[in-house]
Amino acid sequence: MVSGKSLLISNTARRSVLCTLIFICGVCYRTPIESIPVASSVIVNLSLVKNGVADGDLVFRSGRDMMSRIVLSQGEASRFSHVGIMLVMKTGVFVVHAVPSEGGSSGGVLMEPLSVFASLDSASEIGFYRLKDVREATRSKIRAYALRQLGKPFDDSFLLSDESKLYCTELVIRAFESGGVNIESSVDKIKVMLIAEPVVPPDYLRRSLLLEEITFKAESRSASQRH
């Protein structure tokens, strides 16, 4: 149920809702999430991922929330509605990403384990990407930038020109920029009503020719596991 007061949303809330629509636009409505069999791309083998990724690699996900279920695709069909930067720590792989405030959470740029970011409660699909021919020096700069942004507020105005606040793809664009990679020039942007500047949805970022997908060789199951 929705109270009458909730209909009187602020401009900030209106922009947040609008951006959510944009970012998950293109997550095609084929069948309800509950009826989709869990695919191998959803079940993340953390040991394989930890040994196959490095600082500055990207993880994309498509969500399981109500908006992701009902929004029809806009333009080309998209796979993902959110993106974060992976960092490899001693205790495992973590993801730095920017999220809007929700419920009791203040939102902003935060860091959480990949196991949380890619949990079945949060994601219906996960994809891993990295810069082509990326150097270690670039990775180090991306890592340092990402860590410096922790606690920065979410950019509910979605302005790439204002780095004081960040939305998810903006975080990636600026992090790569800090490492000397201008990925912004390699991606398309879309102009949206009520937003002053064109925005970059996560799936548009994924399509950049500067990125390549990371694949992991699945471990074969033993005979005892199959029976």
Side-chain angles (χ1 to χ4, degrees):
M1 298 295 292
V2 179
S3 68
K5 291 182 179 180
S6 66
L7 298 177
L8 302 176
I9 58 175
S10 65
N11 288 334
T12 295
R14 189 175 293 108
R15 287 195 298 266
S16 296
V17 170
L18 182 58
C19 185
T20 302
L21 287 168
I22 296 163
F23 281 178
I24 61 180
C25 237
V27 179
C28 293
Y29 182 74
R30 300 179 180 87
T31 55
I33 290 296
E34 291 85 355
S35 66
I36 299 176
V38 175
S40 58
S41 61
V42 177
I43 303 173
V44 178
N45 185 321
L46 295 180
S47 61
L48 285 179
V49 172
K50 183 176 182 180
N51 294 327
V53 300
D55 291 340
D57 289 344
L58 303 179
V59 55
F60 292 81
R61 78 180 179 199
S62 53
R64 286 183 173 273
D65 57 13
M66 180 63 68
M67 298 286 279
S68 294
R69 301 180 192 186
I70 65 175
V71 177
L72 299 176
S73 62
Q74 175 176 302
E76 296 181 40
S78 298
R79 288 177 62 191
F80 301 112
S81 58
H82 190 53
V83 62
I85 301 170
M86 289 186 287
L87 303 180
V88 180
M89 307 292 193
K90 291 181 179 179
T91 55
V93 179
F94 286 74
V95 181
V96 177
H97 60 127
V99 295
S101 59
E102 181 179 4
S105 171
S106 59
V109 180
L110 54 84
M111 183 167 67
E112 63 185 8
L114 176 62
S115 58
V116 175
F117 184 93
S119 69
L120 293 178
D121 289 337
S122 301
S124 60
E125 185 181 5
I126 294 291
F128 300 91
Y129 289 77
R130 66 162 48 109
L131 284 168
K132 297 176 181 177
D133 304 318
V134 60
R135 299 179 179 181
E136 286 304 314
T138 299
R139 290 189 183 279
S140 296
K141 291 177 180 179
I142 292 172
R143 177 189 177 99
Y145 178 90
L147 290 173
R148 289 198 303 271
Q149 306 317 302
L150 293 177
K152 184 169 284 190
F154 182 79
D155 185 1
D156 50 30
S157 296
F158 310 104
L159 301 177
L160 285 172
S161 61
D162 180 7
E163 201 175 338
S164 65
K165 300 186 292 182
L166 298 168
Y167 63 91
C168 67
T169 47
E170 182 182 10
L171 172 63
V172 174
I173 288 170
R174 297 305 170 220
F176 282 14
E177 187 179 70
S178 74
V181 179
N182 182 10
I183 197 169
E184 181 180 354
S185 63
S186 73
V187 298
D188 292 329
K189 301 174 184 176
I190 57 176
K191 180 64 179 175
V192 181
M193 188 183 305
L194 302 182
I195 297 180
E197 298 178 3
V199 299
V200 181
D203 213 65
Y204 282 41
L205 180 69
R206 177 185 67 85
R207 299 171 195 170
S208 168
L209 295 179
L210 299 183
L211 298 178
E212 60 184 1
E213 188 168 9
I214 307 170
T215 57
F216 306 99
K217 184 177 180 180
E219 295 177 338
S220 60
R221 295 183 300 168
S222 65
S224 61
Q225 289 176 311
R226 289 195 295 267
H227 298 287

